[in-house]
Amino acid sequence: MKRDRVKHSWAEPYKIKMVELLKMTTQEERENAIKEAGYNTFLLRSKDVYIDLLTDSGTSAMSDKQWSGMMLGDEAYAGSENFYHFEEAVKEYYGYKYVIPTHQGRGAENIISRMLIKPGDIIPGNMYFTTTRLHQELAGGKFADVIIDEAHDPENEFPFKGNVNIQKLENLIKNTGAGRIPYLAIATAVNMAGGQPISMENLKELRYVADKYNIRIIHDMTRVAENAFFIQQKESGYSDKSVSEIVKEICSLTDGATMSAKKDALVNIGGFIALNDYDLYEEARNLVVVYEGLHTYGGLAGRDMEAIALGIAESVNDDHIRARIGQVEFLGDLLIHAGIPVVKPIGGHGVFLNAKKFLPHLEQTVFPAQTLAAEIYIDSGVRSMERGIVSAGRNKETGEHNFPNLELVRLTIPRRVYTQAHMEVIAESIESVYAGRESIKGLKMVYEPKYLRFFQARFEKL
Ligand code: F0G
């Protein structure tokens, strides 16, 4: 008799066939390295990092199939065969009609923003993302946050903290006038909220509002499969649907998308714009030639497009995504059991430490999350990222810091890269920093770049 084994474990549906050796460093070496990096984990050299949780972007391990696809690169300037594979995959798995490759997500954001935003426009969205908002601003627009209030509260365990507050959105549309709103910028698995999903119910309500006021929905689909998994697990009516079916349903409720394929789609570089409207597609196809490259490569090599085509198919596989999110939850649960303040529920692409609660004695103006990320690196060589006041930047009009409610350190888990033992090392290190938290002092910023300051800002210890 055939037995269907009940799947209790998130264990990986793959095995390891090649490894990358890591350098083990001493605490003294790490203290020097982070000082030289201006206490900014973005400025560390990766050779000095043991476990790299800076980002899940472009850091995935590709499969043997993807690597063999790399050998099939058709490096023609125009009409590469790999482009057609890539186009087919986007149509098949996401359902959008037209697709244009870009070098990565922000290339797509640049083109969408230039194409749709006029100076003075308002772009409502479910929380900002750094590059997305900057492109909106550079095009003369202003971002308006319409995410539900729960998303700004790290302790609130609402399962769909990526939802839009529909009432807030409708009030904004009425006050601004629909004519000043070029599109709704709706992200799945909202990054800055902690990788929190939006529900299908909320997406349907959004579709209704968008149709009522004749406004487009542009979907930031960077982590759409992770969002779909949460819908499958938590939303009624979806437990029998596959992640792949749910992904397609999500996309069907929107008019177009920008994608950073460096996340969900399991590649090291790439992105795209997807659209259903032919006229917009034509305009985007014109613009892509100016900023990225011809519309059949958009800044990518043929081999990169092949890897994306294969990665998209792997990314929506149920076994893959259960292991992916299972691993993130495993780390989250270790930290929760140790009493470490984290954003709840645990999100899709990482665990977010609540630095305000971890270091309650530090004012936000001495950069608690930036400080905590540096301390964790010194303790164990684990590299994380600030997602707080430094990332939030300054108010464009007043020049003051933006003071976000969420002052977080992101422990972002690359896909298919680290093991359960690595997760245990991370948790041990954070516990040891937590035990010594009272003696931790803050930082002062000594160099501040004009755009996206978190990438290159430098700090000194107070
Ligand atoms: N949208 C979201 C939700 C993202 O998380 C990112 C990148 C982008 C757009 C831009 O895409 O990097 O390919 O140009 N997020 C990375 C991160 C950088 O670490 O969260 P990109």
Side-chain angles (χ1 to χ4, degrees), residues 55 104-106 109 129 131 191 220 223 260 263 410:
T55 177
Q104 58 183 73
R106 68 199 72 179
E109 290 170 348
F129 183 71
T131 58
N191 189 352
D220 182 337
R223 298 181 182 84
S260 171
K263 284 80 167 177
R410 189 179 74 171

Side-chain angles (χ1 to χ4, degrees), residues 23-39:
K23 185 172 106 184
M24 308 302 282
T25 50
T26 63
Q27 177 160 342
E28 197 190 341
E29 286 170 330
R30 294 192 293 273
E31 271 165 5
N32 288 333
I34 193 76
K35 191 170 176 205
E36 243 169 65
Y39 296 91

Side-chain angles (χ1 to χ4, degrees), residues 445 447-458:
M445 205 188 309
Y447 166 68
E448 181 174 356
K450 192 163 156 209
Y451 300 115
L452 302 176
R453 63 182 183 179
F454 58 95
F455 282 130
Q456 288 147 351
R458 299 186 69 87

Side-chain angles (χ1 to χ4, degrees), residues 70-81:
M70 298 286 280
M71 297 306 291
L72 302 176
D74 170 6
E75 308 305 343
Y77 188 88
S80 160
E81 194 54 21

Side-chain angles (χ1 to χ4, degrees), residues 157-408:
E157 300 210 29
F158 184 65
F160 291 102
K161 284 162 88 173
N163 281 358
V164 168
N165 180 329
I166 300 289
Q167 193 57 51
K168 216 194 258 180
L169 173 64
E170 280 216 76
N171 290 344
L172 180 79
I173 298 173
K174 282 181 194 145
N175 292 336
T176 317
R180 298 267 57 180
I181 298 181
Y183 60 94
L184 312 179
I186 302 302
T188 34
V190 178
N191 189 352
M192 300 299 277
Q196 303 293 328
I198 182 170
S199 71
M200 196 71 85
E201 185 188 11
N202 192 250
L203 273 163
K204 287 179 184 164
E205 286 169 355
L206 275 173
R207 182 72 265 167
Y208 176 80
V209 173
D211 287 342
K212 181 167 155 193
Y213 295 97
N214 198 19
I215 302 173
R216 287 187 188 91
I217 300 178
I218 298 294
H219 173 200
D220 182 337
M221 61 180 298
T222 296
R223 298 181 182 84
V224 66
E226 292 174 3
N227 196 115
F229 179 75
F230 285 120
I231 289 177
Q232 185 192 57
Q233 298 297 308
K234 297 181 178 179
E235 192 165 351
S236 76
Y238 286 91
S239 59
D240 291 337
K241 293 217 159 101
S242 68
V243 165
S244 182
E245 287 169 318
I246 298 169
V247 163
K248 221 161 168 181
E249 184 175 343
I250 292 172
C251 294
S252 76
L253 292 167
T254 69
D255 301 290
T258 55
M259 171 64 155
S260 171
K262 300 172 73 172
K263 284 80 167 177
D264 242 16
L266 297 164
V267 290
N268 304 125
I269 193 71
F272 59 81
I273 303 167
L275 291 162
N276 288 333
D277 178 306
Y278 183 82
D279 293 336
L280 276 186
Y281 160 67
E282 197 186 351
E283 171 76 4
R285 202 177 57 180
N286 281 325
L287 277 176
V288 85
V289 181
V290 182
Y291 295 103
E292 304 281 316
L294 191 69
H295 64 281
T296 58
Y297 78 87
L300 296 174
R303 54 179 175 269
D304 297 326
M305 291 187 284
E306 192 65 30
I308 298 175
L310 295 162
I312 287 172
E314 291 176 14
S315 76
V316 298
N317 175 286
D318 283 75
D319 293 326
H320 158 72
I321 202 83
R322 184 177 49 252
R324 159 41 171 186
I325 297 196
Q327 188 180 44
V328 175
E329 275 177 352
F330 176 79
L331 174 62
D333 288 345
L334 287 179
L335 294 173
I336 289 170
H337 285 134
I340 310 287
V342 299
V343 174
K344 291 179 202 157
I346 301 300
H349 64 306
V351 179
F352 290 66
L353 304 176
N354 180 355
K356 272 189 189 170
K357 235 178 138 183
F358 200 115
L359 300 171
H361 56 290
L362 298 188
E363 296 289 329
Q364 208 167 5
T365 48
V366 300
F367 312 110
Q370 189 79 28
T371 305
L372 181 53
E375 292 293 333
I376 294 168
Y377 171 74
I378 292 170
D379 183 74
S380 59
V382 169
R383 168 156 72 171
S384 57
M385 182 199 290
E386 193 263 8
R387 290 273 91 146
I389 186 169
V390 185
S391 295
R394 291 184 184 271
N395 181 298
K396 218 175 143 225
E397 271 115 49
T398 66
E400 290 298 312
H401 289 302
N402 291 318
F403 285 86
N405 266 333
L406 298 179
E407 178 72 24
L408 309 176

